[in-house]
Amino acid sequence: ILPTLGGQTGLNMAMELSAAGILDECNVEVLGTDLTAIKKAEDREAFRDLMNELGEPVPESDIIHNLDEAYTLVERIGYPVIV
């Protein structure tokens, strides 16, 4: 399976199939980018942590769950923001 060729849908499906054990059960090999790398890239917090570890610049960010948290973040970092 080549999940990176299917865009976001392909990535999501590959991750779900792997988590459910279906890829292992059917002896399906993942080609291209491995699932560990895809997971790191998809998990925004893990990606940010990796970039910081590598010394790569990333915009100020946080995981937001509601409008109050968003307003608090904006007070801290200012505008513009990307949601």
Side-chain angles (χ1 to χ4, degrees):
I1 187 170
L2 185 58
T4 55
L5 199 58
Q8 192 64 51
T9 301
L11 297 174
N12 293 344
M13 289 179 65
M15 297 303 292
E16 294 276 335
L17 290 169
S18 176
I22 295 171
L23 297 180
D24 289 335
E25 179 183 325
C26 296
N27 199 30
V28 174
E29 182 181 353
V30 176
L31 302 175
T33 306
D34 66 29
L35 295 177
T36 304
I38 293 170
K39 184 175 181 175
K40 279 187 180 178
E42 290 295 307
D43 180 329
R44 302 301 179 228
E45 190 171 15
F47 181 79
R48 178 185 62 204
D49 292 345
L50 175 62
M51 293 299 102
N52 286 330
E53 182 182 315
L54 295 172
E56 293 296 324
V58 291
E60 181 79 24
S61 65
D62 207 345
I63 306 297
I64 301 299
H65 301 97
N66 57 53
L67 279 175
D68 289 333
E69 291 178 3
Y71 292 133
T72 300
L73 176 66
V74 167
E75 286 176 17
R76 192 176 86 229
I77 68 171
Y79 287 101
V81 296
I82 299 172
V83 178

